[in-house]
Amino acid sequence: MAKGIGSTTWHSHDDQDETFLLVSGSLTVQLRDRDVVLGPGDLFVVPRGVEHCPKAEGRRGSS
């Protein structure tokens, strides 16, 4: 489980899939050919070897 704001660098995993299950907020998983926008309850699996870059927007209304 991870909580984050911002984006990571483009990367891939040679030996494992990466699963995103969103509990709250929104997350965009950038792929080289498209963006996948996730909301609460959405599940998305990036297959091993696929380059991707997760990007989460900052929380609104927090100080």
Side-chain angles (χ1 to χ4, degrees):
M1 179 178 280
K3 177 181 179 179
I5 298 174
S7 64
T8 63
T9 58
W10 282 93
H11 66 282
S12 63
H13 306 279
D14 293 332
D15 59 346
Q16 61 189 0
D17 298 339
E18 186 167 5
T19 302
F20 295 91
L21 173 62
L22 221 63
V23 175
S24 65
S26 64
L27 176 74
T28 300
V29 181
Q30 298 173 302
L31 304 172
R32 290 298 183 183
D33 64 343
R34 64 187 165 114
D35 290 350
V36 177
V37 180
L38 305 175
D42 288 340
L43 174 76
F44 183 70
V45 177
V46 178
R48 67 180 178 175
V50 173
E51 202 170 18
H52 59 286
C53 182
K55 180 180 177 185
E57 298 299 323
R59 289 176 25 187
R60 296 177 192 236
S62 62
S63 43

